[in-house]
Amino acid sequence: MAKVKTKFYCSECGYESPKWMGKCPGCSEWNTMVEERETVVKTAGVHSSLIQTKEKPQSIIHIESGREPRLTTTLSELNRVLGGGLSQAR
């Protein structure tokens, strides 16, 4: 079940607070605190929560992927699933 929390952040410096303040303690500016609602989703039986982020999704076309050296195994299907073999530790 999702729980909605309210937090306030400064539009000038990004300072976050659980309650509204007239003057931001981070940059000392007046009336810059903006309300933001945060949805927290808890999974059954697990004490971790998922919090929405401010990052926007990117198209997979625009994501650059570098080729890493791989160690191939004798199992061709395992190599295929792992993207060419085991990734070497750096």
Side-chain angles (χ1 to χ4, degrees):
M1 182 170 188
K3 182 177 180 182
V4 178
K5 287 187 175 182
T6 302
K7 66 179 179 179
F8 297 87
Y9 71 95
C10 177
S11 59
E12 295 294 319
C13 70
Y15 179 87
E16 289 187 14
S17 171
K19 61 180 183 175
W20 184 84
M21 292 185 240
K23 183 178 179 181
C24 173
C27 64
S28 300
E29 292 290 324
W30 286 95
N31 298 321
T32 57
M33 300 300 281
V34 179
E35 181 179 5
E36 181 178 276
R37 296 196 179 237
E38 179 180 81
T39 304
V40 178
V41 179
K42 291 193 176 185
T43 56
V46 180
H47 296 291
S48 64
S49 61
L50 301 172
I51 301 175
Q52 291 180 345
T53 62
K54 294 181 184 179
E55 293 182 24
K56 294 187 178 184
Q58 296 180 9
S59 172
I60 196 164
I61 298 169
H62 302 302
I63 298 174
E64 292 185 24
S65 172
R67 294 289 296 175
E68 294 184 19
R70 301 282 182 162
L71 295 173
T72 57
T73 67
T74 58
L75 304 170
S76 61
E77 181 66 11
L78 179 62
N79 291 335
R80 185 190 69 79
V81 170
L82 295 176
L86 298 170
S87 178
Q88 293 181 352
R90 295 181 192 189

